[in-house]
Amino acid sequence: MARLDLHALPGLDAAQRPLVDPRSLGTGIVHLGIGAFHRAHQAVFTEEAIAAAGGDWGICGVSQRSRGVVDQLRPQDGLYSVLERGERSSVRVAGAVRDLLFAAEEGERLQALLAAPGTRLVTLTVTEKGYRHDPATGRLRRSDPEVAADLSGNGLPRTVVGQLVRGLAARRAADAGPITLLSCDNLPANGEVLRGLVGDFCAALPAAEGEALAAWITESVRFPSSMVDRIVPATTDEDRAQVARLLGYDDHGVVVTEPFRQWVVEDDFAAGRPAWERAGAVLTADVAPYEAMKLRLLNGSHSTLAYLGALAGHAHVAEAIRDPGIAGVVAALMAQDVEPTLAVPDGFDVAAYQRQLIERFHNPALRHRTVQIAMDGTQKLPQRLLGTITERLAAGAEPRFACLGVAAWMRYVWVRQAEDGTPLPVDDPLADRLGELTAQAATPQAVADALLSLEEVFGEDLPANERFRALVTEGLAALTKGGVAAATTP
């Protein structure tokens, strides 16, 4: 079967073709972290915005750690299909990605692109761990070996923040004009976090270099915040085979997603932007209320569901949410623990949003793996669960369900296997340390004490709260003694 590329487009059905002629687009956006989520979310919004309102906003997708996506998409001229799965499945080829590069091998080209006048926007989906920051403080981890190497200036930068700062320095030297850096990762106030990390990097440079660059950044660079929402599970061979049947072409870059999508963006740009509102995005002066709702309601419940579900032996989210005990915990987490912490925007029906989330979790066509959601727990817990816990404790409440989510994470990284003996992978930047902390722990109390010593995850104040420690330890003890079924029984 022939492979998807530009030559294949005339042979596709009209509904399957890109909305714009890919050959007409120059590069206006550099995207760091071109994984499946970006291709199913921001790139789709961007193509629809170009189709509706024009603009030279083609995307150069940058892969940070692996050549995988580059090798998938370069032979396909950047084209890939988006397989949308709900009550009915549909597929369309996306055409906004016009260039690709692998940062580890093409660092000079990345720096040149960041300094090019035509590049007016840099977007990021590099995951929480890609920022190399301390989640508890938001500051750049200067002790990180790769951050330290980037600060030394020896060789091309390897970290995201290092790449951005060196690219901005090259842009300033070339007098290439203002630019916007737009984080699309699941971090509260992600724009402010990115601004702070860029500032931390500049402050760590020699004063003669860093101070002048920081002043230029203040004048010429914007860091809007955003909130993204779309479930994008890992693509399987079955998905690729289905797309081949639908298109009549072999596509190595298939992404799978749900019908629902949401993007809320702070409207603060230095050099223009695509007309994303024409594609359904919300442009606003304040992203924070939407961001908190998504991080705490969707992501917090998703993580809780994933840890409980994986421990119970459920491979996929749709299976886990059909478990009455787990479903009850997820619903109670949203309504009792999270909702009281939210500043809900006027006119937004938060109860309907919760019902919609449950319906999305039930979508059996997505086959979203629980262990995929369980990745990088040390980076995700602060944003997804610990903020809710901290605020509810301060209000004198007992966030029992959110604490059970933390306990389920502890049980997951401690035993590393489901109740039926199936191994569970611990894919986390601190995986080795988690193993060291729990290796000699023989009781739930000992495990909780050991893991709560991780200040970079839990900070200092939360572990000092005796009610928090008690709730987490109680949840971990229930999971240890009677399993998920016992821990989730009302």
Side-chain angles (χ1 to χ4, degrees):
M1 182 178 288
R3 192 162 174 182
L4 178 67
D5 61 13
L6 287 171
H7 298 293
L9 295 184
L12 299 179
D13 292 342
Q16 297 173 337
R17 296 173 192 158
L19 299 177
V20 297
D21 181 354
R23 290 161 291 200
S24 69
L25 299 177
T27 298
I29 300 172
V30 172
H31 181 80
L32 305 186
I34 185 162
F37 184 83
H38 169 72
R39 287 180 282 144
H41 189 277
Q42 298 98 39
V44 172
F45 274 95
T46 298
E47 183 177 359
E48 292 181 10
I50 297 168
D56 211 14
W57 294 107
I59 299 167
C60 175
V62 180
S63 180
Q64 297 287 4
R65 291 293 180 182
S66 167
R67 287 193 54 88
V69 176
V70 176
D71 290 341
Q72 288 170 358
L73 298 189
R74 266 187 184 162
Q76 300 183 179
D77 301 317
L79 302 177
Y80 62 92
S81 54
V82 180
L83 177 61
E84 195 173 283
R85 282 191 163 154
E87 293 183 7
R88 297 179 181 177
S89 293
S90 64
V91 65
R92 181 171 66 79
V93 173
V97 175
R98 302 312 320 128
D99 193 7
L100 296 126
L101 67 85
F102 179 34
E105 297 176 357
E106 302 175 88
E108 291 181 353
R109 190 157 79 91
L110 173 58
Q111 296 301 292
L113 272 171
L114 294 175
T119 302
R120 289 156 286 159
L121 177 60
V122 179
T123 54
L124 300 88
T125 51
V126 295
T127 76
E128 295 91 338
K129 64 184 176 184
Y131 290 80
R132 308 296 181 101
H133 73 306
D134 183 338
T137 65
R139 304 305 299 271
L140 184 69
R141 290 202 315 268
R142 293 177 57 180
S143 61
D144 182 293
E146 292 197 344
V147 172
D150 285 356
L151 286 168
S152 74
N154 295 323
L156 291 164
R158 289 167 283 183
T159 67
V160 168
V161 174
Q163 290 164 356
L164 289 174
V165 173
R166 298 302 183 185
L168 291 174
R171 189 176 188 88
R172 172 175 174 259
D175 195 23
I179 193 169
T180 299
L181 309 186
L182 174 63
S183 171
C184 302
D185 283 296
N186 286 323
L187 297 168
N190 49 19
E192 286 303 309
V193 169
L194 182 57
R195 184 199 306 272
L197 297 175
V198 167
D200 288 347
F201 195 99
C202 290
L205 295 172
E209 177 185 5
E211 290 177 3
L213 179 58
W216 179 85
I217 289 172
T218 298
E219 294 178 358
S220 304
V221 184
R222 297 290 180 270
F223 297 85
S225 290
S226 73
M227 182 277 282
V228 296
D229 187 1
R230 199 173 204 188
I231 295 173
V232 184
T235 304
T236 66
D237 289 341
E238 179 185 344
D239 300 324
R240 283 182 279 270
Q242 181 181 2
V243 167
R245 290 192 299 270
L246 292 170
L247 292 183
Y249 291 93
D250 188 18
D251 177 7
H252 293 203
V254 175
V255 292
V256 182
T257 191
E258 62 176 334
F260 179 90
R261 66 182 190 182
Q262 186 180 26
W263 196 8
V264 182
V265 185
E266 181 183 0
D267 199 1
D268 182 21
F269 290 80
R273 59 167 176 80
W276 287 316
E277 68 276 16
R278 298 285 296 274
V282 174
L283 278 295
T284 179
D286 187 9
V287 172
Y290 298 92
E291 180 181 74
M293 282 193 298
K294 191 262 181 170
L295 284 170
R296 297 185 180 188
L297 287 173
L298 170 60
N299 296 122
S301 59
H302 225 188
S303 287
T304 299
L305 186 156
Y307 291 119
L308 290 171
L311 290 168
H314 300 304
H316 299 99
V317 167
E319 298 166 16
I321 199 66
R322 289 198 299 268
D323 183 312
I326 296 176
V329 166
V330 168
L333 167 64
M334 292 184 189
Q336 298 181 33
D337 290 353
V338 175
E339 186 176 341
T341 72
L342 302 175
V344 180
D346 291 341
F348 191 92
D349 188 339
V350 70
Y353 180 60
Q354 292 172 56
R355 293 192 296 271
Q356 184 183 49
L357 289 176
I358 297 294
E359 291 173 4
R360 292 167 64 193
F361 294 159
H362 272 283
N363 184 349
L366 282 180
R367 297 185 65 78
H368 201 180
R369 298 171 66 233
T370 51
V371 295
Q372 180 186 356
I373 301 164
M375 292 169 55
D376 301 331
T378 59
Q379 310 297 298
K380 294 174 178 176
L381 287 178
Q383 293 81 34
R384 298 184 176 202
L385 289 170
L386 301 187
T388 293
I389 291 169
T390 299
E391 291 186 27
R392 294 304 285 148
L393 290 170
E398 290 196 344
R400 184 171 301 275
F401 301 101
C403 288
L404 180 60
V406 174
W409 167 77
M410 289 182 171
R411 179 71 180 166
Y412 185 105
V413 302
W414 174 27
V415 300
R416 304 190 179 208
Q417 65 178 21
E419 292 167 9
D420 62 5
T422 302
L424 296 174
V426 177
D427 187 341
D428 192 288
L430 301 183
D432 292 343
R433 194 152 162 225
L434 295 174
E436 293 168 1
L437 287 170
T438 59
Q440 304 303 318
T443 66
Q445 180 73 62
V447 171
D449 289 344
L451 292 174
L452 289 176
S453 70
L454 286 165
E455 287 190 13
E456 60 265 64
V457 178
F458 294 99
E460 296 181 2
D461 295 341
L462 196 52
N465 187 297
E466 292 302 322
R467 193 62 197 130
F468 169 66
R469 298 186 77 96
L471 287 169
V472 169
T473 304
E474 288 170 13
L476 184 55
L479 289 167
T480 302
K481 182 178 180 181
V484 172
T488 59
T489 299

